[in-house]
Each structure stands twice: as structure tokens, then as C-alpha cells.
Amino acid sequence: MGQATDFDAAIIGGGHNGLTCACYLAAAGLKVGVFERHERVGGAALTEEFHPGFRNSVAAYTVSLLHPKVIRDLSLHQHGLRIVHRPMANFLPLGASDGFRMGRGAAEDQAEVARFSSADAQRLPAYQAMLGQVADVLRALAQETPPNVGGGLTDLMAALKAGNRLRGLDLAARRDVLDLFTKSAGDLLDAWFESTPLKACFGFDAIVGNYASPYTPGTAYVLLHHVFGEINGVRGAWGHAIGGMGAITQAMHAEARRLGVVVHTNAAVSRVLVSNGRAQGIALDDGREFRARIVASNLNPRLLFLDLVEPGALDEDFLRRMRAYRCASATFRMNVALSELPRFECAPEPGPHLSSGIIMAPSLAYMERAFADAREQGWSRSPVVEMLIPSTLDDTLAPSGQHVASLFCQHFAPQLPDGRTWDDARDIAADTIIDTVTRHAPNFKASVIARTALSPLDLERRFGLIGGDIFHGALTLDQLWAARPVLGHGAYRSPIRGLYMCGAGTHPGGGVTGLPGMNSAREILRDWRKRSRR
């Protein structure tokens, strides 16, 4: 070891959290290197041309959770990032003659809900206020380091601070927090509403990247996780990054370069170098080694601890729990190039519904059947499909008059039964997805010029998303907050001194937020300053 280029901090993985962490560390004066195994940084937030003239986000595909503090601190707008709102949040086709539209404004939403239930229309503001109040608590907690069980005074103070946030809520709001962290989304929504399309619209958020029925306990939290974001100051809004999701990570890369971060691409890390219980640097697949006082990993924790760290450096209980760390999204991701816009039977003319999240899942029961089907057969024959057509908002993605669509689909089991693999079943499943959309928009299949398909196995191979898990670990109560990824190591520090975690497998979890990277950098710098004083 002992190359000419050594670092204060070496970051494993150039995804958005790795870049965020690198920028904060470099801004504090550390010499930082980022090591990315692919030819470009960005992780799952990339934009690529997948057919001549057609570009789109590859895996991550829509913006809401990217934290405004990260946007400001990393000067992302100054580096060209521009995010635009969807004119409507969601559109659910409900057959040949009707559709359900949400997210156009409070009055419009109440009027739409009233078409199906006047009682639900009256309850809608109270539900949204409840969700917003709990989401405000989550927004605050998401920026804080969870306490470590058995830690010192700092951890005790963190626990008290979190407790004080909950004590600031009245009893009814505390009950809402308990409901949202423990109940199923289906049970929660059934207690609030009676109309099927409204519950489907809200319940969809509970199964995004979540291999579960909407009636699985804990899915209410996943619903909450998807509503604590904001776009351009509007809380709970969803939008599109002009140029696709790669525009976010390329802006981060530009800021990293400005701060002097050394970014190595085509640099796959094979091993964390550990000596005397402390991380000393990293080794690459090509044999090069780099010494670093700090190593921070943006990888799924299972990849870090089971693949890159020698087993003897970790105790057996920790290793056992890492082997049991649950990763499964049951997600299938497609991009399609289109010769024309879809013409939905219930809304054939162009309109704002084509710039929304188009959810093809008309009820919670439909979603529950999709989950059961996947568990039995490997994937749902009537899958849940969300389609976005970002080219309606962004003319940089497709030739004039033509379009690109993102298809985000559930449920597609990570492992198929009967010895089949996703290499065998990918195209069959993709055909099923195309046919599902075509049932709602009869011109869709004939308009497809080209397509790309990423099965759960493809997502794992390309992006390190184990089991295709877009969140780097299931968002269940046993894998949240101080227990993410495992109790006793929820504060971004691993069992090995000098080895940190900065990816979505840490608090507050998945989505393109930048928060794990930001929070981890804060803890790294806290330890760095203590060590420097010593």
C-alpha cells in the first residue's frame, strides 16, 4: 500500500449519497476520493440514451424527497439543476369511461373525491392535515442522527431530542404517529375513507419498492415515507428534473469537482483494508490500494459487510444479522420510446393527466392480488404499474412529437419459483407490463418504438440493489431509525473504527434524498475533529 494519491476520506460508491457525503467532507477541508465501479457516477440516479434520440432516467425516475438543504448546500441549482412540478399528482384510469384525478389543488381534489363519496370529500382535509403533521415530525427526525442503544451521553441526548419532538404533539397526533409506524396502509385508509379509487391513490405509495400487500402491517410507514418530501418549497409535491435524474447527480459531481474531490470511475472496490480494528483504506479490483484515514460506504450494508470486509473483522452476531438484513422491492423497471402519446379510453385527449403519475391499479384489492400472485408465481399477471411521461414536461428527452415513458412496476419477486431466472423471464414479464398499459390505453403497444427492461436481478447486477431493493433494505419497523441497518450501529458508524455508512441502508432510508450522505458526513466530521484535538 502507499500510492502517491492518499486521502483523508475514501468514499465507496458514487451514487447520490456518496457524492453528497463527499461534498460535505471536502467543504470542511478534507481530502476526499470517490471510487465508483462504473464509467460514470450517479448510481441509480442516471440519465441515458436507450434508443437513438430517446433519453430517460434509468432507475430512479421522479423527484420529491431530495432535501432542500442538500440542494442549497451543494449549490445544485447553480450547477444547472432545474426541477419542475407535475401539473397533477396522480391519475388513475378506472375503466373505459372514468378516471380519478388527484393533486390539482385543494378545491379540485375535494370536488373529485365528492364524485365518489361526499363523506370522503369532507374527511379529506383532516386526513391530509394528519399526514402533514406526522410528516413534519419525520422531516425533522430525518435530518438528525439516531441514538445508538448502549451509547454515551451524545446518544442519550439524541434520544431525548427525538422524544421531545413527540411530546410536542397532542395525544391524538401521537396516536397518529403510532398508527403510521405500525399499521397497514389498507387498515389505516379503510378507517378514514370508503371510496375505492381514493384509497387506491393513497395506498399506492405504501407498496412502491415494497414487496408487500397494502394490508401488510408496517406499510402505512412506507406511505408516510413517500410524502415527507417537497418540490420548490411545496411540501408533498412531486416533480421532474429537467434532463432526467442524472441531472441531479451530475450537478453533485460538478460541485464535488469544484471542492477538489478526486473522482475515480471504473474503480471497483474489492476490499476495505482493516488493521488493528480500524479501517486503513481500500483495495480495488485491479490491485491498486489507497490509504485513507476514513472510509465511508454508499453501498447496501450487506454488500459492504459481507463482501468487502474480512469476516474476522466483525463479530458473529453482527454478521448473522447482516445476513438476515431484508432486501426485496419486487420492482421491475422499464423505459419505452413512443411514437405518440397514450390515448386512455377514459381520457383520450392530451391533458395534464399525461404529466402526472399514472397509476394502473384501481383498488387496494387489486394491489393485494398482485402481491399474492407474485408470491405464488414469481410475478403478477396483473401488475401494479405507474407510468410517467416526462417528455411532456421536458423536451430534451425525445424527438419532437415523440415521447419517452417510465414504467415502475410491482410485484416481481427477486427469486422465481421452479428454478427459473429473470434472464429467462424478463421479456415475458415486460410483455405483461406493456399489455397491462394497453388495456387502459389501446394505442400504447403499437406506439412502442423501443424498450429497455430491468428485472430485480438486473437492478442488483447493475446498481448493487440486492433483490432489486430500491431502498437498500426494507423500510420496516425493525430496520428503521436507530435499527437501520442494525441496532447499535444506527448512527452511521460501523463496528470497525474509521469505517462509516453513508447510503440509503442508513437512516432515514431510501429515495433520492441526500440525507444519509449529509447526516453521515456530519458524524464523520464530529469524529474527525475529536481525533484531531487528541
Side-chain angles (χ1 to χ4, degrees):
M1 195 161 61
Q3 296 287 333
T5 305
D6 293 334
F7 298 98
D8 296 322
I11 311 294
I12 305 172
H16 83 280
N17 277 311
L19 292 170
T20 298
C21 185
C23 287
Y24 278 107
L25 296 180
L30 275 66
K31 184 179 181 182
V32 182
V34 171
F35 296 83
E36 167 57 45
R37 67 184 176 122
H38 293 298
E39 62 183 17
R40 276 195 301 157
V41 296
L46 285 177
T47 304
E48 287 183 355
E49 184 176 75
F50 64 97
H51 187 70
F54 293 86
R55 303 165 59 242
N56 204 10
S57 305
V58 179
Y61 66 105
T62 190
V63 187
S64 177
L65 303 179
L66 183 62
H67 201 275
K69 178 173 171 54
V70 172
I71 294 173
R72 289 193 305 272
D73 290 351
L74 272 58
S75 304
L76 299 187
H77 289 318
Q78 290 89 320
H79 291 297
L81 178 64
R82 185 160 68 94
I83 300 171
V84 295
H85 287 256
R86 296 182 194 171
M88 179 191 302
N90 292 113
F91 169 63
L92 279 71
L94 299 177
S97 59
D98 202 3
F100 184 74
R101 297 161 172 82
M102 281 293 287
R104 292 178 289 175
E108 293 92 338
D109 287 350
Q110 274 195 283
E112 179 73 353
V113 173
R115 293 199 302 117
F116 298 88
S117 167
S118 58
D120 284 358
Q122 292 173 6
R123 297 207 76 188
L124 182 63
Y127 171 81
Q128 291 174 324
M130 177 277 294
L131 204 60
Q133 185 177 26
V134 179
D136 283 344
V137 174
L138 184 60
R139 285 187 186 97
L141 289 175
Q143 299 178 66
E144 296 171 0
T145 300
N148 268 333
V149 173
L153 182 61
T154 299
D155 293 303
L156 176 61
M157 295 303 294
L160 290 172
K161 186 176 182 180
N164 284 334
R165 293 196 183 280
L166 296 178
R167 277 193 291 273
L169 301 174
D170 62 25
L171 182 58
R174 292 182 207 175
R175 290 169 176 161
D176 292 331
V177 171
L178 182 63
D179 286 348
L180 282 160
F181 273 77
T182 60
K183 285 187 173 181
S184 77
D187 288 337
L188 179 82
L189 293 167
D190 285 342
W192 274 92
F193 302 117
E194 62 186 15
S195 55
T196 296
L198 178 61
K199 289 189 285 186
C201 183
F202 289 152
F204 169 74
D205 282 338
I207 65 163
V208 170
N210 187 20
Y211 190 22
S213 159
Y215 286 96
T216 301
T219 49
Y221 173 77
V222 183
L223 182 158
L224 176 67
H225 187 86
H226 282 97
V227 301
F228 80 82
E230 63 180 81
I231 291 294
N232 301 331
V234 180
R235 289 187 171 181
W238 290 86
H240 169 75
I242 297 298
M245 296 298 285
I248 296 171
T249 49
Q250 293 311 302
M252 290 176 169
H253 189 191
E255 177 67 1
R257 289 196 303 266
R258 187 189 73 80
L259 292 167
V261 175
V262 180
V263 177
H264 295 262
T265 54
N266 295 309
V269 176
S270 61
R271 188 162 48 100
V272 175
L273 302 172
V274 179
S275 177
N276 297 320
R278 173 174 286 279
Q280 304 286 344
I282 57 170
L284 304 187
D285 277 354
D286 62 12
R288 287 181 294 165
E289 295 184 355
F290 293 84
R291 185 175 293 276
R293 296 177 177 86
I294 289 162
V295 177
S297 169
N298 187 38
L299 308 184
N300 182 303
R302 271 176 55 180
L303 289 177
L304 170 64
F305 294 114
L306 301 184
D307 291 1
L308 301 190
V309 176
E310 293 292 334
L314 299 163
D315 70 70
E316 183 52 40
D317 183 72
F318 182 86
L319 285 170
R320 178 176 65 83
R321 295 179 188 279
M322 276 295 100
R323 294 184 195 107
Y325 183 70
R326 286 175 298 102
C327 302
S329 276
T331 295
F332 197 104
R333 180 73 174 83
M334 292 184 68
N335 280 328
V336 293
L338 302 174
S339 61
E340 61 178 346
L341 287 169
R343 294 192 297 273
F344 288 88
E345 280 191 301
C346 61
E349 298 304 318
H353 64 289
L354 295 181
S355 299
S356 72
I358 304 166
I359 300 170
M360 281 153 273
S363 68
L364 296 178
Y366 179 101
M367 299 176 197
E368 188 170 33
R369 286 193 299 271
F371 172 65
D373 202 12
R375 283 178 64 97
E376 181 178 347
Q377 303 183 72
W379 73 85
S380 172
R381 273 42 177 186
S382 295
V384 178
V385 178
E386 183 187 30
M387 179 165 69
L388 272 68
I389 312 173
S391 51
T392 60
L393 300 172
D394 181 356
D395 61 10
T396 71
L397 299 178
S400 178
Q402 298 178 312
H403 291 275
V404 293
S406 301
L407 304 177
F408 184 90
C409 317
Q410 305 277 141
H411 288 286
F412 297 80
Q415 284 82 39
L416 298 178
D418 305 324
R420 292 176 295 165
T421 72
W422 274 114
D423 290 333
D424 303 321
R426 181 191 305 107
D427 287 339
I428 301 169
D431 288 340
T432 300
I433 292 164
I434 296 293
D435 290 341
T436 299
V437 179
T438 305
R439 284 200 293 272
H440 298 280
N443 72 317
F444 183 74
K445 187 171 186 176
S447 72
V448 174
I449 299 169
R451 74 187 193 191
T452 60
L454 294 172
S455 71
L457 180 59
D458 296 317
L459 291 169
E460 179 169 338
R461 284 171 174 161
R462 179 161 183 193
F463 300 112
L465 303 177
I466 295 175
D469 195 324
I470 64 172
F471 294 137
H472 282 202
L475 297 175
T476 49
L477 193 58
D478 62 316
Q479 295 186 176
L480 290 177
W481 199 48
R484 189 168 184 89
V486 64
L487 202 64
H489 294 286
Y492 309 100
R493 299 168 179 86
S494 84
I496 297 170
R497 287 173 295 148
L499 176 60
Y500 297 80
M501 298 167 280
C502 65
T506 62
H507 174 74
V512 182
T513 71
L515 290 174
M518 180 185 81
N519 292 346
S520 177
R522 182 180 61 242
E523 298 308 309
I524 291 169
L525 290 171
R526 182 174 291 162
D527 293 350
W528 177 266
R529 288 162 186 149
K530 287 180 182 177
R531 189 178 177 188
S532 297
R533 286 196 296 270
R534 288 197 297 268

